[in-house]
Amino acid sequence: MIDKKDLHYVASLARLKLKEEDEEKVREKFSMVLDYVGMLNELDIEDVEPLINVNGMSNVMREDEIKESMDRETLLANAPEKMYGCIKVSKVIE
Amino acid sequence: MLELHSLTIHEIRDMLRAGQICSKDILDSVYSRIEALDDKIGAYLTLTKEEAYEAAAIIDKKIAEGEKLGDLAGIPMAIKDNISTKGVKTTCASKMLENYVPPFDAHAYEKLKEAGAILIGKTNLDEFAMGSSTENSAFKITRNPWDLERVPGGSSGGSAAAVASDEAYFALGSDTGGSIRQPASLCGVVGFKPTYGAVSRYGLVAFGSSFDQIGPFTKDVEDCAILLNHLYGHDKKDSTSLNVEFGDFTEALNKDIKGMRIGLPEEYFGEGIDPEVKKLVLDGVKVLEGLGAHVEEISLPYSKYALPVYYIAASAEASSNLARYDGVRYGYRAKDYSSLEELYVNSRSEGFGEEVKLRIMLGTYTLSSGYYDAYYNKALKVRRLIKQEFEEAFEKYDVLISPTSPTTAFKIGERTDDQLAMYMSDICTVPINIAGIPAISVPCGLSKGLPVGMQIMSKSLGEASIIKVAHAFEQNTNFTKKKPTL
Amino acid sequence: MNYETIIGLEIHAELSTKTKAFCNCKNEFGGEVNTNCCPVCMGYPGALPVLNKKVVEYAVKAGLALGCEISLYSKTDRKNYFYPDLPKAYQISQYDTPLCKNGKIKIEVDGKEKYIGITRIHIEEDAGKLIHGTESEDYSLVDFNRSGVPLIEIVSEPDIRSPLEARLYLEKLKGILEYLEISDCKMQEGSLRCDANISIRPVGQKEFGTKTEIKNMNSMKALQRALEYEEERHKKVLSEGGTIVQETRRWDEAKGITVSMRTKEQAHDYRYFPEPDLVPIILTEEWIEGIKKDLPELPDEKRKRFVREYGIPDYDASVLTLTKELSDFFETCAKGHKNPKAISNWVMGEVLRIMKEKELELKDLRIKPEFLRKLVDLVDEGVLSSTGAKQVFEEMFKTGEEPESLVDKLGLRQISDEGAIVELVKKVLSENQKSVEDYKNGKTNALGYLVGQCMKASKGKGNPQIINKILKDLLS
């Protein structure tokens, strides 16, 4: 069972907040899945190379040629808040 | 005319070419069907009637002027709502993207449009394609046309139900762990998951990038072959897109399957598989045997690890792919927040549904400091073993056959609280995505009035073998012709 | 207690490719906000990256120039974190398979050569830019023009032992990147950025002390000052019995101090994993050899060649080759010229002085190489005195005019006509009999006085060499 602290840590990393009343249910579901995937521990896979590109391709690159960018108005049409041609967000303190 | 909606692509295409009908007639048929049924079925999230009729008018004008027509001219299509359609909302069935209108087209949609197909609407899905029943949609549930009390499967449940109920001639879905094949099976239609990299992922809203593929839902195998011809092909915008010649898949139709080698992996017929499902699939295999195919039982022992690999790796990729929904550039932004941190947390917590949040957290956990090796890296290692095991099997067999789904369609609400039972719905389909190979689901009978699907898999780029076997099966049975009573 | 300082630098250099790293948008500094953007670099759902070939080529060039091993296999990884300028909420970077590793840079400290190890060089994408309003405004704005611009991150070994060494290392590195023409390397514009890790330990101790990371140093001078400040701060804390907190600190240029960045203290857990949208980069020895063959001449080689070809001192050559621009300027001036040393003196002296004073770049200077060549010629031919030449130089800088006409405009042409000078010297000698006698009696410094009088009589225009010669002739 994943403990509360870990669950909170994971939620904060993912920028999610759990409702208090849901927390136990989520913890249970989460733990159930973790237990289930723990099945992999049966296997001796010390010497197996992880598979990271499933269709075995390599070296896909493009030429360094400029193509027209997308029109700003179109690109920002979905923005919840904008100002002076920029996306507006809460003040960022650096 | 009345039954126009029940026809296949190749049938209406021939009628259109012969001048028996025009493009507008086809649209009328499908929209009147949608109007009559979709309140009950709930396949669609958005209809694009106005644009569709405009497109049809252009095609009819071309016909009148004797201009050359695209291969799919005037054929209406439904598209899963996680495939980008420029100017048309693409919501992923999530509150997060409720009002999101993509500024560009997905490559797959673009290709079909170029061939003359007409978008009629966007179909429902489990939010961000995470689920096996389409119950995780933020907007509505979709019902199985064969039994309105049951789910259509998922995540492409809207697309499957639309084709099964003749509310669409064909539809596009996406398949990360079975999201095309499983609903195709539950709704009694043909569903195809291509070799990884065969269809460009550009414009498909990513879930598990190394698993995701776009594929078609059709009423028969011939239609499926026709669509693969259009969907397959290299795309420079997708770095994982295969740059090979695919050939013409319709050449695999009407072929003799005598001497073809078929393997039946015993793990896919064992525990958890409904006996009647198993029987219908094996009956289907007998049909193929009768046509001269050699059938043997084989074992794929690593397959049982496919589901854990999938839930680790796909969730990990999803946690990263879905991080961009932060309320900044597009999508849902919470009303109440007093800092940047709150803007993020509130927008994401309010915008995502429960299953999506669970998988994001799961994926975040398996990638987080100290757990990477125990989970993610381990999953990638086992992924290699599963892939290798398939490769070895395909040295001996042209295709492998299994049930697509362990059961027929389940009741709405039946598995919503049972996480693992829901995940088990994909037990036969997930290994295919792990290995990146292609597979089809074709109807192989009804069990207690509900469709059962047979999954036919091949090695990477072995699509022609799949089409060959599936078409031979279809030609010698009548299962794809069966329709629900609505 | 005596402490030893340990510094390691992380340098980010924006590559000067035409387009961004993963899309075809223009890679340009200072464009109108959000106009060099597309669905890929704005992180739209469903948009996918495709790697720019030049990015790999440029990074490998840097690797080869810095003596690195080039990885035949490397891949990209996602570095996950949330920030408004990071549109996908992950940065495409390289984690465990950097394109280049194990290189080194030679620097000279107090005339002694020293090597600073380079741990790795990897490719990654830049983030967008935040524009902050005034204090009273409660929002920030985001411009994504820079989002997706290619970067190389160059990580040094903790081999640097003083703030001065850090600066020398960065200067040398900057020079090399400029020679390769793969980055603009403008610290002010942010195309070259430097973060530093610094710690101190008692001399003789093996273990490293607790380090702090310093950010926001926007010039070479700032780097050195910030590290000097931080070095002292560490010493002070330790000598007072305190402990150093491992943290990130920001250099405040105006106040000349480093300040803790508390907002960045949230745990970093970047959850790196292989980027599934891109495929591995597999290089061949032949391809790498090809890049190696085409590498331009680098500072150290050029320095040796300058000594050899132009006969200038090694010190001059080291200063002149520090930046590619300066070395090119010198070489254009000196090529085929009789007096390269004089040109070197001008470049190292007046040219560098005026650039520093006016905060100008070489390309903004109106003094063309042929003007400088001519100026040296004029001095060598006796047309211009060395003080006159400096006046002409100033005027060239101001007006951009060529030197010969300026000599006359300023009335600086020297009298070099021997006949005229003989007359003038004779007159001076007759008016200064006392000094003539002093000289003849062995007071050699009287000659200097007489030269001075002759110069005065010529209103400064007499050629001092000729005056000298004639004086000696007439006095002997």
Side-chain angles (χ1 to χ4, degrees), chain A residues 9-16 49-79 81-94, chain C residues 17-26 32-39 42 44 50-54 56 73 75 82-84 130-135 137-142 144 263 266 269 271 274 279-282:
Chain A
Y9 173 68
V10 166
S12 80
L13 267 183
R15 299 297 185 276
L16 292 170
E49 271 294 302
L51 178 69
I52 60 156
N53 61 326
V54 69
N55 62 6
M57 296 178 68
S58 61
N59 290 349
V60 178
M61 294 180 221
R62 61 175 177 83
E63 299 300 325
D64 186 23
E65 288 162 2
I66 298 170
K67 287 191 188 150
E68 209 179 318
S69 290
M70 196 176 263
D71 158 64
R72 183 168 74 188
E73 207 177 316
T74 313
L75 260 182
L76 299 187
N78 280 289
E81 277 190 88
K82 53 201 153 185
M83 196 184 220
Y84 311 133
C86 288
I87 305 273
K88 191 177 167 190
V89 292
S90 309
K91 195 177 186 86
V92 181
I93 302 138
E94 282 181 297
Chain C
T17 50
K18 289 197 204 94
T19 64
K20 294 186 179 182
F22 300 111
C23 63
N24 294 81
C25 287
K26 204 196 279 177
E32 169 77 10
V33 291
N34 290 310
T35 53
N36 293 332
C37 299
C38 74
M42 288 263 293
Y44 263 75
V50 183
L51 178 59
N52 181 349
K53 204 181 265 184
K54 277 274 182 255
V56 176
Y73 172 93
K75 63 177 171 66
F82 287 87
Y83 214 61
L130 287 167
I131 303 162
H132 304 293
T134 58
E135 297 241 338
E137 287 165 337
D138 64 346
Y139 59 84
S140 298
L141 301 175
V142 203
F144 291 99
T263 51
Q266 191 168 18
D269 191 338
R271 289 156 285 136
V279 298
I281 303 161
I282 297 176

Side-chain angles (χ1 to χ4, degrees), chain C residues 363-382:
Chain C
K363 65 172 167 49
D364 302 325
L365 232 51
R366 291 207 270 180
I367 297 162
K368 292 186 188 155
E370 59 262 35
F371 294 177
L372 201 64
R373 284 169 72 100
K374 187 70 197 167
L375 191 65
V376 174
D377 285 341
L378 290 172
V379 174
D380 287 353
E381 288 160 9

Side-chain angles (χ1 to χ4, degrees), chain A residues 29-30, chain B residues 354-362 419 423:
Chain A
K29 281 191 176 182
F30 198 104
Chain B
E354 297 312 314
E355 180 65 22
V356 170
K357 283 191 262 194
L358 182 69
R359 294 208 204 183
I360 289 175
M361 286 195 286
L362 195 65
Q419 204 69 21
Y423 288 3

Side-chain angles (χ1 to χ4, degrees), chain C residues 159-427:
Chain C
D159 290 344
I160 300 165
R161 290 290 171 272
S162 73
L164 175 66
E165 281 185 28
R167 179 181 179 152
L168 292 170
Y169 166 84
L170 185 56
E171 278 175 353
K172 188 68 181 279
L173 178 62
K174 179 173 181 276
I176 292 170
L177 298 180
E178 283 169 352
Y179 272 64
L180 293 170
E181 296 183 310
I182 60 170
S183 174
D184 290 340
C185 290
K186 288 181 185 152
M187 292 189 82
Q188 306 290 349
E189 289 181 6
S191 60
L192 186 73
R193 307 197 282 270
C194 176
D195 299 334
N197 286 304
I198 178 168
S199 64
I200 62 169
R201 65 183 171 193
V203 172
Q205 182 182 301
K206 274 233 174 68
E207 304 78 47
F208 290 128
T210 307
K211 65 178 179 187
T212 51
E213 190 186 353
I214 317 298
K215 288 184 179 294
N216 195 42
M217 297 163 293
N218 296 323
S219 67
M220 294 287 170
K221 210 167 99 192
L223 169 69
Q224 192 175 343
R225 282 179 68 208
L227 288 174
E228 280 164 358
Y229 173 87
E230 192 62 12
E231 184 181 42
E232 281 313 308
R233 193 184 69 84
H234 280 222
K235 283 180 187 165
K236 187 157 180 280
V237 169
L238 292 188
S239 66
E240 285 167 359
T243 48
I244 298 294
V245 182
Q246 184 164 342
E247 62 180 352
T248 303
R249 297 175 71 86
R250 186 172 185 279
W251 169 245
D252 186 325
E253 176 80 26
K255 294 190 183 134
I257 56 168
T258 64
V259 192
S260 176
M261 294 174 79
R262 281 185 199 87
T263 51
K264 291 250 167 175
E265 268 169 32
Q266 191 168 18
H268 290 285
D269 191 338
Y270 291 126
R271 289 156 285 136
Y272 282 100
F273 74 101
E275 164 59 289
D277 288 332
L278 292 168
V279 298
I281 303 161
I282 297 176
L283 303 179
T284 63
E285 300 280 5
E286 294 94 290
W287 185 83
I288 296 168
E289 270 312 305
I291 298 287
K292 203 172 189 172
K293 267 214 322 268
D294 288 342
L295 282 185
E297 187 181 38
L298 294 170
D300 286 350
E301 298 163 36
K302 200 172 217 170
R303 172 172 165 185
K304 282 189 201 134
R305 185 169 63 79
F306 277 8
V307 172
R308 200 171 62 232
E309 270 180 32
Y310 299 106
I312 57 172
D314 181 59
Y315 173 75
D316 288 29
S318 76
V319 174
L320 293 171
T321 53
L322 203 55
T323 72
K324 179 169 189 305
E325 235 186 342
L326 192 67
S327 71
D328 286 345
F329 183 79
F330 166 75
E331 189 149 33
T332 320
C333 297
K335 196 147 214 145
H337 197 275
K338 302 189 292 290
N339 196 353
K341 173 60 185 157
I343 289 180
S344 163
N345 290 346
W346 275 101
V347 175
M348 289 175 34
E350 292 303 292
V351 173
L352 285 181
R353 177 189 61 80
I354 214 152
M355 282 168 61
K356 201 173 168 192
E357 268 178 27
K358 312 284 180 189
E359 293 183 349
L360 282 174
E361 292 193 45
L362 204 49
K363 65 172 167 49
D364 302 325
L365 232 51
R366 291 207 270 180
I367 297 162
K368 292 186 188 155
E370 59 262 35
F371 294 177
L372 201 64
R373 284 169 72 100
K374 187 70 197 167
L375 191 65
V376 174
D377 285 341
L378 290 172
V379 174
D380 287 353
E381 288 160 9
V383 176
L384 203 51
S385 69
S386 53
T387 30
K390 282 193 180 160
Q391 273 176 268
V392 171
F393 183 88
E394 282 295 327
E395 206 55 25
M396 277 188 341
F397 168 75
K398 278 186 209 141
T399 63
E401 274 179 70
E402 62 93 24
E404 186 127 42
S405 61
L406 284 174
V407 171
D408 291 323
K409 243 188 212 169
L410 298 172
L412 293 171
R413 190 172 291 276
Q414 291 194 129
I415 302 167
S416 296
D417 171 33
E418 293 210 8
I421 291 179
V422 168
E423 286 312 305
L424 190 141
V425 172
K426 277 183 179 163
K427 190 164 172 273

